[in-house]
Amino acid sequence: MSEVQSFDVAIVGGGLVGATLAEALRPTGLRLALVEARPLPAAADGDDYDERSLALGWGSRQILAGLGLWDALAAHATPMTEVHVSERGRFGVTRLRARDERLPALGYVLTLRHLGAALAARLADHPRLTVFRPAEARAVTQEADAVRLRLAGNGAPEAIRARLLVAADGSDSPLRGQLGIAARQVDYGQWGVIGNLTPRHPPAGRAFERFTPDGPLALLPLAGDRCAFVWTLPPDRAEAALALDEPDFLAALQARFGRRLGAFCRVGRRQGFPLRLVRPARLVAGRGLLIGNAAHTLHPIAGQGFNLALRDVAELAQRLAGAADPGAPELLAAWARRRQADIDATQRATDGLLRLFTNPWPPLSHARAAGLLLLDRLPPLKHRLAWLGMGWRAGQGGPLFQGRPLPAEAT
Ligand SMILES: Cc1cc2nc3c(=O)[nH]c(=O)nc-3n(C[C@H](O)[C@H](O)[C@H](O)COP(=O)(O)OP(=O)(O)OC[C@H]3O[C@@H](n4cnc5c(N)ncnc54)[C@H](O)[C@@H]3O)c2cc1C
């Protein structure tokens, strides 16, 4: 029987989060395996009006800088210099501004294409990384000092072993079940309808969060005077909106958003999907742990999912640097404590915001309008809200969170 290949860390899931972790672990000198079920997509070149994007807070920009990725991304990142929060049909408005935080931007909007390309370029030149792709991780067995992973895929070995297994395999995370971790799933009863549009007046660095009785609507500034939108709606309304032709869809969205950016002139391809919360009972089981969507799937209202995942990655990379055993129980427990506190706080803030703004009870809706006006006049509170959105949390420390690289381990 052939010998099973051994690694220090096996990462299952080569989406944005798994790929970022593989890159973040480069300076640690650990031997890595990355297992991804889908084949490598063909590199997309040229601009695509419909390309998807992510909003990242300033804190995420710092982590990407610490990972050495920001230089390749900066030219393609659209800065958000102001976030404008309002409620449809009410006067209250609050504006979070980068200049009040003495920063060039509160965050950036990055296209998935550029983020994916920057990661792929780096991983192609990673001396201690073995990629199994397309290969599916099928079963996990915990052993005393390692995890054995059964694989299925053309050319992939039947099994590999690793001292630490990281499941970055998305919201449905097959490995979460394999690790024996139960997850609570809550259907938000809403769909996210996403796409890109062009308004008459360019967004000029402004992002908008507009609360409506149906659910929130977010507009993010994109290159080419476009905006990316995330419109949350009850499922039947979302299906009806997706069936509209371009002029009717633009009119419906305009009615939700108002005319702060003038008339909406063009909209690209629209996509809709159900929104749910996924909350695992714990983050660690034996020598396995969960990160990214496998560890926390949130409502996209505040665009926090990937931001939170970057903090999972940074905290893990910092703890694994110099560790004698990457799967040591005390190391994983300390990582999980720190991450769970951040995940809980982010989820509470996201869900709280959602409940507050979708409650039609009139006294509450008057209080919200007054609250937004008041918030706009209270710099310390606004500062706190801006910090939360930018991804800063108490107790967060270490070089990556400050935009500095991890020292390279002597190998
Ligand atoms: C509408 C919307 C808007 C959003 N906007 C923002 C935003 O503005 N800012 C932000 O920070 N976040 C945002 N998010 C969240 C963000 O998209 C996610 O946090 C992020 O994509 C999670 O990536 P992931 O790598 O964890 O999971 P995935 O992208 O799902 O990747 C999982 C990977 O695992 C692979 N896989 C699964 N099972 C196996 C297996 N058994 N073996 C091998 N491979 C396997 C899959 O093929 C896949 O490639 C948004 C989300 C939504 C829905």
Side-chain angles (χ1 to χ4, degrees), residues 23-398:
E23 180 54 29
L25 294 181
R26 179 194 293 262
T28 64
L30 293 165
R31 288 161 308 139
L32 312 177
L34 181 66
V35 183
E36 168 54 47
R38 280 184 279 201
L40 196 65
D45 43 38
D47 285 343
D48 169 10
Y49 186 89
D50 292 322
E51 64 192 342
R52 284 203 53 192
S53 53
L54 286 174
L56 299 183
W58 180 263
S60 294
R61 179 237 175 258
Q62 295 295 79
I63 294 173
L64 291 170
L67 300 182
L69 286 162
W70 186 250
D71 284 349
L73 295 171
H76 309 291
T78 307
M80 288 185 288
T81 50
E82 189 176 308
V83 178
H84 190 284
V85 185
S86 63
E87 188 178 5
R88 183 169 172 252
R90 303 263 161 210
F91 286 115
V93 166
T94 196
R95 288 178 193 83
L96 308 176
R97 293 191 183 92
R99 68 163 188 262
D100 295 342
E101 306 304 320
R102 297 193 169 80
L103 287 172
L106 292 168
Y108 295 84
V109 187
L110 272 181
T111 56
L112 298 188
R113 175 166 65 97
H114 289 114
L115 187 52
L119 280 167
R122 294 296 295 271
L123 293 188
D125 170 35
H126 194 313
R128 289 177 171 258
L129 173 68
T130 306
V131 179
F132 301 107
R133 177 174 204 161
E136 208 182 306
R138 285 275 171 85
V140 176
T141 316
Q142 300 262 8
E143 299 173 348
D145 58 353
V147 170
R148 179 188 280 261
L149 201 56
R150 195 155 58 72
L151 305 184
N154 254 351
E158 260 177 41
I160 57 171
R161 289 176 87 237
R163 295 195 289 164
L164 171 64
L165 167 67
V166 178
D169 52 348
S171 305
D172 291 321
S173 179
L175 287 204
R176 197 169 53 215
Q178 285 283 329
L179 287 167
I181 302 178
R184 188 164 70 90
Q185 309 234 6
V186 181
D187 183 350
Y188 280 114
Q190 283 186 326
W191 278 31
V193 174
I194 61 167
N196 294 337
L197 61 83
T198 306
R200 171 134 311 134
H201 307 305
R206 282 170 300 167
F208 296 85
E209 188 79 72
R210 185 133 171 95
F211 292 93
T212 81
D214 278 346
L217 166 64
L219 251 67
L220 302 170
L222 269 183
D225 294 341
R226 288 168 305 166
C227 289
F229 63 85
V230 182
W231 184 13
T232 39
L233 288 162
D236 52 336
R237 305 270 277 277
E239 278 179 302
L242 286 164
L244 295 173
D245 60 14
E246 182 172 352
D248 288 344
F249 184 88
L250 283 175
L253 198 59
Q254 186 96 60
R256 291 280 154 221
F257 182 74
R259 301 190 69 88
R260 282 200 164 86
L261 290 176
F264 292 160
C265 312
R266 175 182 173 190
V267 65
R269 185 160 31 87
R270 284 85 75 189
Q271 282 174 279
F273 37 86
L275 301 177
R276 62 186 162 138
L277 170 90
V278 181
R279 192 178 155 80
R282 58 207 156 104
L283 298 177
V284 172
R287 287 180 169 266
L289 61 80
L290 313 175
I291 63 169
N293 267 10
H296 41 73
T297 300
L298 306 178
H299 194 288
I301 177 182
Q304 289 297 314
F306 188 64
N307 286 284
L308 200 51
L310 279 175
R311 302 201 288 275
D312 298 342
V313 164
E315 189 71 40
L316 189 58
Q318 290 183 168
R319 286 180 187 270
L320 292 186
D325 176 0
E330 56 284 6
L331 183 155
L332 303 190
W335 172 83
R337 264 196 308 279
R338 178 59 63 82
R339 294 310 307 136
Q340 194 67 62
D342 184 5
I343 294 168
D344 289 351
T346 307
Q347 190 188 314
R348 265 198 310 273
T350 305
D351 280 7
L353 209 58
L354 201 63
R355 267 197 297 274
L356 175 67
F357 278 99
T358 46
N359 191 327
W361 190 48
L364 191 59
S365 84
H366 289 305
R368 281 195 302 261
L372 282 176
L373 277 173
L374 193 66
L375 184 64
D376 205 50
R377 286 161 182 71
L378 286 174
L381 256 184
K382 258 178 45 163
H383 182 60
R384 234 180 95 70
L385 190 66
W387 271 53
L388 267 174
M390 286 189 289
W392 274 313
R393 300 289 182 276
Q396 212 162 258

